[in-house]
Amino acid sequence: ALPQRGSLLAAYARVWAVQQALILAFTGLASCWTQAQALLVAAAALGAPGAVACALAVRVVDCLRDFPDRWESHYWCAQTDAALLLALLLEATIGAGKGPLASAEPRESGGERALREAAATVRWQMALFYTSAGFWKLNESFLDARYSCSSIYMAQLLAGYLPPSLATSAPAITLVQYSPFAVVSGELFVGAALLLAAFKNGGDISSGGFGLAATRVGVSLALVLHLGIALTPPPNNVGAFSVLMATRLFLFAPERLLGGLAFFTQAGGQCVGC
């Protein structure tokens, strides 16, 4: 049988749980606190709204308890997770689709209503995150290739994947010199595209041609950016950051794609049960 519409929450919860499991595994599960978080994250993968809410809550608390000793991207994730947590709590307490994005579809579950409302908020959050990332790089330090982290990343990519003769060629040196401007331009362009996508309600057909195009362009360019970050050789590889952001970009996907993933994940669970 096809999955119920409410399984869309389960689809996102499983993507989110895999990302969280990777982060928790990196810590080695060295404390009872991280072990408890791992159990709640595993429970969230089942897709029940209560389990998802509990897992989101402990991950947000875990981020805030280390304040301010966290990377900025961790606070980005805490904000997006808090949006879904709040939506789930409001759905549980207010109930029956009384939120601003409530669907007229009577069969729509509370979990899907919460996911829909949270997704609208997270799309704006992600758009503002990328826009601000580009805006705050508009300074003399970042735009100077002698000091900018972008020139270091570009030099590492070239040295790591090209023959020495090409990595030290004149075109490669030019790429390194202009990489700060490329990064700023790219992040601002991604931010602008995602802002338009958020305004048009993501990548659904109902959002119209501009919304769909903006979603495709914004998400695609963001993933290209994160692929470059993930492929950067040590010591400056921060692939975990790319995984964190890719998980949240998932909420720009059209609902028909989420429905396909829901079917796939539910079918996988049924096969495991067999």
Side-chain angles (χ1 to χ4, degrees), residues 3 17 38 51 61 71 74 105 125 149 159 167 179 201 204 219 237 241 257:
V61 169
W71 295 102
H74 295 171
E105 171 58 58
Q125 289 175 319
C149 64
S179 59
N201 202 32
D204 287 320
V219 172
N237 175 280
F241 169 59
L257 177 60

Side-chain angles (χ1 to χ4, degrees), residues 94-173:
I94 299 176
K98 297 179 181 177
L101 299 180
S103 170
E105 171 58 58
R107 295 175 56 193
E108 186 179 53
S109 72
E112 185 175 358
R113 282 192 294 269
L115 180 65
R116 188 190 305 277
E117 296 196 22
T121 300
V122 171
R123 287 192 287 265
W124 282 107
Q125 289 175 319
M126 294 295 291
L128 292 173
F129 292 158
Y130 283 100
T131 303
S132 63
F135 175 79
W136 290 114
K137 289 183 176 69
L138 294 173
N139 58 74
E140 293 181 356
S141 179
F142 184 86
L143 295 177
D144 191 326
R146 296 173 298 174
Y147 314 115
S148 178
C149 64
S150 63
S151 55
I152 297 174
Y153 275 95
M154 181 61 72
Q156 281 191 265
L157 284 167
L158 296 174
Y161 297 102
L162 292 180
S165 58
L166 291 178
T168 57
S169 64
I173 293 173

Side-chain angles (χ1 to χ4, degrees), residues 24 33-34 37 57-67 70:
L24 288 168
W33 170 241
T34 54
Q37 290 181 73
V58 296
R59 294 301 289 149
V60 171
V61 169
D62 183 66
C63 178
L64 296 180
R65 69 196 289 264
D66 294 331
F67 181 86
R70 286 278 190 155

